[in-house]
Every structure is written in C-alpha cells, then in structure tokens.
Amino acid sequence: MKNKKSLNIIFEFLKNNYQSIFLLIIFIYFFTFPVLILYDSGHYMMFVEILEGKLPFSDWDIVRGPTFPLLIHFSNILLGKTVLGLLVLSFSFYLLMLIFSKKILDQISLKSNKLRIFVYTMFIFLILLNPIIFGYYHALLTEFVAMSLSVASCYLSWKLSQYTEEKKINIFTLLLLILYFVAMMPISWFLKQPYVSIVLFPLITATIIKLFSSKEWRPKIMMLGVFFLSLLSLILSIFSWNNILDKKGLDLNTERNVQRMFGYQLISSMTRFNLIQDDSGNNEGEYLVEVLGKDDNPIDQMSVENEDGVITTKSAVNFILRAFVHHPLQVVDSWVINYLGLINIYGTNSPDGIGYWIADKNINLKGCVENCAIATSI
C-alpha cells in the first residue's frame, strides 16, 4: 500500500514538473560536451582581440561582419573568457531555439492531441537527437546563432502577421515585433551575409500571405511597412559599417569586398553555366558564359556585364533572370546540384582548401564533410 502511494506521489510529481525535469536533463547533457574550436573559430577570436584593443583594426577582414565577434566579446565580459562562458553563451541560444520551437509546435498541434504527440516525437528524433544540430551548438561558429534566430524569425513573422488583424493593438507589443525585424535584419547580415535570409525569408513569406489573404488594407500596409523599414535598416547599417571600415583605414576596393564577391558567387553557383573570365581586359565590359547540357557539353552562349572586371550584384541578378527565361531547366538543375552538394548527398572536393566544387553527381548517403566532423566530435 505504501509502495503504491509512493509511486502515485512520484508520478504526480513527474506529471506536474515534467518540463522542468526535461530542461534539467537537457542542461546537464549539454554541458557534458566541450566547445569545438575549428579553423574559422580562430578568425573570429582574432576579431575579438581587435575589439579588445590587442590588435590593430587594420587587421579586420572586410568580408566579416561584427555580430559574432561582438557576441563573443560581450560574453567574455559578462561570463568570463573561459570555455564555460562560451558554453553558457551557446546554451542560451540553444534554449532560445527550444522555446520558439515549442511555440511553433504548440500552434501546429493546437486542435489535436494525437498530432501533438506526433510532432513532438518527430522533433525529439529529428532535432534534439540530431548530432549535427547538437554539434553545431557546441562549435564556435556562427551557425548556432543563425539556427536560433531562424526559428525565432519564423514564429515572430507569423505572430506579427496575426497581430496586424487584431482590432485592439497593443502599441508596446507591436513596437517590440517591429524592433525585432528592424534590428535583426542587419544583425543577421553582419553575422554572415547569406544569413540575412533567416530574417528576410520568413518576413517576406508572411507579407506575401497577408497581401493575398487579408481583405483589409491595414494589415497589408503594416506588413509592407515593417518589411521596407527592415530593408532600410539593413541598407543604412551596411553604409554605416563601410564608413567605419573606411575611417579605420581599410581598403574596401579589394577582392574581399562583399559587393565584389557576391556577384561572382551568384554566377559561379550556377553549375550549368561556365563563366569564362578574360584576364586580358579586352572583353569590352562583358564575360562569356557557356550554357552546359546534361552531358556537360556547351549548348548555348550568353554574356554577363562586368565593371572593370567585377561582376556586380545587379549584373548577376540581371543575368540570372535572363538565364531563367532562356534556360530554366539549366538554372533549376544548377541550384539542385549545388543543394545536393551542400547537404553532402553529392560528393565535393576542394583543390585549394577554401572553395568546394561538385566532384561526384552520384547519390551517396554515407559521406559528409564538415557536418560529420562536427557531429562525430561531440
């Protein structure tokens, strides 16, 4: 009788405190693994030393933004310059990811208990027990910040969209939502330029859905207002940061300039389009681009404009639009090939140890590069 009563007390305790117990288990498990210091981690630690005044600002790499070094710098000040301090920093973002993931899952399974069990089971197996995701939260890289912000942006974009439909709007809540997107757009860009998508894409998606779904003008205007305000914040922050770099004496007209690199990267990512650069400078403002068929033989020729040998972002986007009109299958195939390489289904190689290229277009579910290194290191 006593045993049965004791078991009932235990079950009741677990039922009432399962969330706290779960977080305690996560906390203990998270801190049993150390921080992974990788090649790029050294670059960010060098930037931290610049912020600390130990190195001159002229050593800053202009392609790198200040978000991650500042995050580590403030973490060192608040939590100490220790491995434990870095773990506390990454755990705070891990916790942020869990909180917003729970909010999203609760909304998905709001009306069905069976669906709730299903989505939470899938979340545990695909996210919590995923060694790659768990590993990236222990690697001193920008990915753990980006993962958390991407989940938060998805939820808050939906929340903003829903909030614009309410008749009585709390100004303070609205301002907080607007402030998030206005601040996070440049913050994500300076975390790593492609990461602007973790804020931009959810906001664009929510805005487009609102434009087509809402019958009233107010929600549409509010969503468009937040979107354009966020873009303005991004543009102004880029100009401000470039102005700081210029005043510190850094040369912005180098190959490491983001504007110079981005246009080339947009073109080079299209694997079915072979960019032929004429180093002699006699190309009259254009580079030749060969369009490749399935057998990798040329089927057409196009051209892309350059300014003093530099493919600007504007020229690259213009080329992609023309390519999509004339060769849509090659454009889509290029992006699919690159995506399969990014997720390690297609084999890649790196002749220079910096750039990665698709080396094998046969499906291989066993191999992976950096992801496996991080996943197997924890």
Side-chain angles (χ1 to χ4, degrees):
M1 194 73 178
K2 288 184 178 180
N3 290 338
K4 188 176 180 180
K5 188 177 180 180
S6 299
L7 286 173
N8 288 334
I9 293 172
I10 292 172
F11 285 134
E12 190 67 25
F13 176 81
L14 293 174
K15 182 180 177 181
N16 295 331
N17 300 278
Y18 71 94
Q19 290 186 350
S20 299
I21 295 170
F22 177 76
L23 284 176
L24 180 61
I25 294 171
I26 290 291
F27 178 85
I28 295 171
Y29 186 64
F30 191 94
F31 281 89
T32 56
F33 295 93
V35 174
L36 299 178
I37 306 297
L38 303 170
Y39 177 78
D40 281 353
S41 305
H43 288 272
Y44 292 115
M45 294 310 294
M46 183 190 75
F47 300 141
V48 173
E49 292 190 347
I50 293 175
L51 295 174
E52 293 173 344
K54 296 179 181 178
L55 292 174
F57 208 95
S58 57
D59 286 349
W60 196 281
D61 185 352
I62 61 173
V63 79
R64 304 285 188 177
T67 297
F68 196 57
L70 280 171
L71 197 61
I72 298 173
H73 181 54
F74 289 132
S75 171
N76 290 344
I77 294 172
L78 296 173
L79 305 171
K81 201 171 184 179
T82 63
V83 172
L84 181 60
L86 293 173
L87 276 174
V88 172
L89 173 67
S90 59
F91 181 75
S92 64
F93 279 93
Y94 189 68
L95 198 59
L96 186 71
M97 182 272 291
L98 293 179
I99 291 170
F100 280 102
S101 295
K102 183 180 184 304
K103 288 181 177 293
I104 292 172
L105 294 177
D106 286 344
Q107 288 298 324
I108 293 172
S109 58
L110 192 62
K111 297 180 180 180
S112 172
N113 193 46
K114 289 183 179 180
L115 182 60
R116 182 183 180 84
I117 294 172
F118 174 76
V119 295
Y120 270 94
T121 301
M122 295 299 292
F123 179 76
I124 290 170
F125 281 102
L126 297 179
I127 305 298
L128 288 184
L129 299 181
N130 189 322
I132 294 174
I133 293 176
F134 191 74
Y136 269 109
Y137 273 100
H138 285 78
L140 195 60
L141 298 171
T142 56
E143 278 75 7
F144 75 83
V145 181
M147 284 189 286
S148 299
L149 292 182
S150 64
V151 177
S153 297
C154 288
Y155 176 78
L156 293 175
S157 295
W158 170 82
K159 198 69 178 176
L160 177 65
S161 176
Q162 294 292 107
Y163 200 69
T164 58
E165 295 283 355
E166 294 185 8
K167 294 181 179 180
K168 293 183 179 180
I169 294 179
N170 186 307
I171 298 298
F172 180 72
T173 304
L174 179 61
L175 287 176
L176 284 179
L177 287 170
I178 294 173
L179 181 62
Y180 172 84
F181 290 103
V182 171
M184 286 303 161
M185 193 78 81
I187 285 173
S188 60
W189 170 270
F190 289 121
L191 181 64
K192 188 181 284 186
Q193 289 84 2
Y195 289 163
V196 72
S197 60
I198 66 180
V199 179
L200 183 62
F201 287 175
L203 184 58
I204 286 178
T205 302
T207 302
I208 291 173
I209 291 173
K210 186 58 62 179
L211 289 176
F212 286 98
S213 64
S214 180
K215 296 179 181 179
E216 298 181 6
W217 279 103
R218 191 189 72 172
K220 296 178 181 181
I221 294 172
M222 289 177 68
M223 291 299 296
L224 285 171
V226 175
F227 173 70
F228 285 115
L229 196 61
S230 301
L231 282 183
L232 179 63
S233 171
L234 174 63
I235 293 168
L236 291 176
S237 66
I238 292 173
F239 277 110
S240 299
W241 176 245
N242 286 344
N243 189 44
I244 291 172
L245 294 177
D246 186 53
K247 286 184 176 180
K248 292 292 184 179
L250 280 86
D251 184 8
L252 301 181
N253 297 314
T254 68
E255 292 301 321
R256 295 292 286 174
N257 186 292
V258 175
Q259 294 177 340
R260 286 174 172 262
M261 294 176 64
F262 193 48
Y264 172 77
Q265 289 173 341
L266 286 174
I267 302 296
S268 62
S269 66
M270 302 169 70
T271 54
R272 291 295 183 191
F273 296 80
N274 183 27
L275 177 65
I276 301 174
Q277 292 176 282
D278 184 4
D279 294 331
S280 66
N282 297 321
N283 46 32
E284 298 182 353
E286 290 185 345
Y287 285 141
L288 181 67
V289 180
E290 290 182 336
V291 184
L292 306 179
K294 285 190 175 181
D295 55 359
D296 290 334
N297 290 321
I299 60 173
D300 195 7
Q301 288 185 346
M302 298 179 67
S303 62
V304 58
E305 294 180 357
N306 70 75
E307 297 179 8
D308 298 326
V310 176
I311 301 173
T312 64
T313 303
K314 180 181 177 181
S315 297
V317 171
N318 186 23
F319 173 81
I320 292 171
L321 291 174
R322 287 190 292 114
F324 198 81
V325 171
H326 296 290
H327 300 283
L329 293 180
Q330 275 69 30
V331 173
V332 174
D333 190 37
S334 296
W335 290 338
V336 170
I337 289 170
N338 264 317
Y339 179 72
L340 292 175
L342 283 171
I343 63 175
N344 301 308
I345 290 179
Y346 279 176
T348 59
N349 66 0
S350 179
D352 57 3
I354 300 174
Y356 283 85
W357 308 95
I358 306 298
D360 182 11
K361 294 177 184 176
N362 295 313
I363 292 177
N364 180 10
L365 301 178
K366 295 181 180 179
C368 57
V369 191
E370 187 175 24
N371 285 341
C372 272
I374 291 173
T376 55
S377 296
I378 62 169

